[in-house]
Amino acid sequence: MRDSARHYLQTFLSVVQDLSRCLPRRPRPLRLGTLYAGATNICNARCVFCAYKTSTSPRGHLPFEIFKKAADDYVALGGRSISFTPTVGDPLVDPGLFEKIKYALGLKSIERVNFYTNGILLATNNNYRSLVDLRVPEIHISMPQPDRSAYQKIYGVDAYPQLLEGLKLFLEYNRSQGEPCSIQIDFRLSIPASQIVKTADFVAFIQPHLSRKVTMTYMPNYDNWGGMIQEKHLLGAMRMRRIPTVKTVMCRRMEDVAILWDGSVRLCACRLQKTEFDELVVGNLELQSLKEILQSPKADAARASFRRRELLPVCRDCSLYETTWF
């Protein structure tokens, strides 16, 4: 019942937002959002709800020098939040991740540093210890219900034992050090959320560590990645998110800045269709400063595509669209 309620609440709010965008109203001024320094676009999972498995993007890791330039330029513009979550990929795959995190944490004006991971590599090279020792403020771990068969079906790889081992070590070490990391377990479920707490591995490995700093949530519905993910790709209790029908105001995600592994700068760090090297790429840090790129005619045109009702292909059918008014 709770799952259905959350799904229908999101659907209702989506309809309300559509109606609100039909009213004459002045959008708020453009703001600088989060810097998404995509550490890598390589992933070690093949999730049913993600477009990574059909992506044709060239693969690579973000070099430290490009990241440093992006971070320094971003801070100079007044930016305050850095995420190492790529559009697709898992940050822990990047061998240079911790050097980048350390640099970001040393920038005095940065108030928030975080990333999402599937957790498969938490135990590899004692990555969990490095995260706690660096005192990374906010880490999200994406996983299905705690079950090996479910993991293989939903995440597309037989890596549940590695995840469980790493998660156990991470939670234990984080607690032993006074919980310097806020950890949120983000469940991607094919069963009703109420059934999670009944699973043996949840009771044994997760529940004992839940606290003010270790929390859990679940996704009530799934977006379509600009049309790349459909209902037929989802499993069990998973549901599709409603596609907004009125997109005349700039999506708030266009205020975020994504840095791709080759230095390309992309507006929107959330979704792609076939590749992140698409029409939302508005420049490259090896050729221009971040300020020049964000103030360029190409960036202005991408943002204005909503007002002009000439949406870019990746935006047309995207169900993750959210207005800057809310």
Side-chain angles (χ1 to χ4, degrees), residues 90-92 115-122 139-143:
D90 192 275
L92 291 177
F115 68 86
Y116 281 76
T117 175
N118 58 35
I120 293 173
L121 296 180
L122 280 171
I139 300 164
H140 296 255
I141 299 174
S142 169
M143 64 177 289

Side-chain angles (χ1 to χ4, degrees), residues 227-238:
M228 299 303 293
I229 299 299
Q230 301 173 22
E231 191 85 42
K232 65 182 181 181
H233 298 126
L234 303 182
L235 301 174
M238 294 179 170

Side-chain angles (χ1 to χ4, degrees), residues 138-173:
E138 180 185 337
I139 300 164
H140 296 255
I141 299 174
S142 169
M143 64 177 289
Q145 59 264 31
D147 174 81
R148 185 170 186 171
S149 175
Y151 196 97
Q152 192 165 3
K153 291 176 182 176
I154 298 173
Y155 280 62
V157 291
D158 187 16
Y160 181 69
Q162 294 96 302
L163 164 67
L164 195 62
E165 177 191 11
L167 181 60
K168 177 177 178 292
L169 292 169
F170 187 25
L171 294 174
E172 289 176 349
Y173 187 60

Side-chain angles (χ1 to χ4, degrees), residues 9 74 77 79 113 130 144 182 238 240 252 255-256 262 291 301 311:
L9 175 61
Y74 175 72
L77 291 172
V113 174
S130 297
S182 289
M238 294 179 170
M240 293 297 297
R252 70 171 182 83
E255 296 180 320
D256 293 329
D262 72 336
K291 181 177 181 179
L311 295 180

Side-chain angles (χ1 to χ4, degrees), residues 280-301:
L280 287 175
V281 171
V282 293
N284 192 291
L285 284 170
E286 297 201 283
L287 302 174
Q288 297 171 284
S289 70
L290 186 60
K291 181 177 181 179
E292 290 172 329
I293 294 170
L294 295 181
Q295 294 179 353
S296 68
K298 189 171 184 180
D300 288 342

Side-chain angles (χ1 to χ4, degrees), residues 34-79:
T34 297
L35 177 71
Y36 284 87
T40 182
N41 66 348
I42 300 172
C43 195
N44 47 7
R46 301 291 183 274
C47 303
V48 298
F49 51 80
C50 176
Y52 175 80
K53 54 190 174 294
T54 57
S55 170
T56 59
S57 297
R59 310 294 186 195
H61 304 307
L62 178 65
F64 177 78
E65 289 307 317
I66 293 179
F67 163 71
K68 182 177 181 299
K69 183 178 189 301
D72 290 345
D73 285 1
Y74 175 72
V75 167
L77 291 172

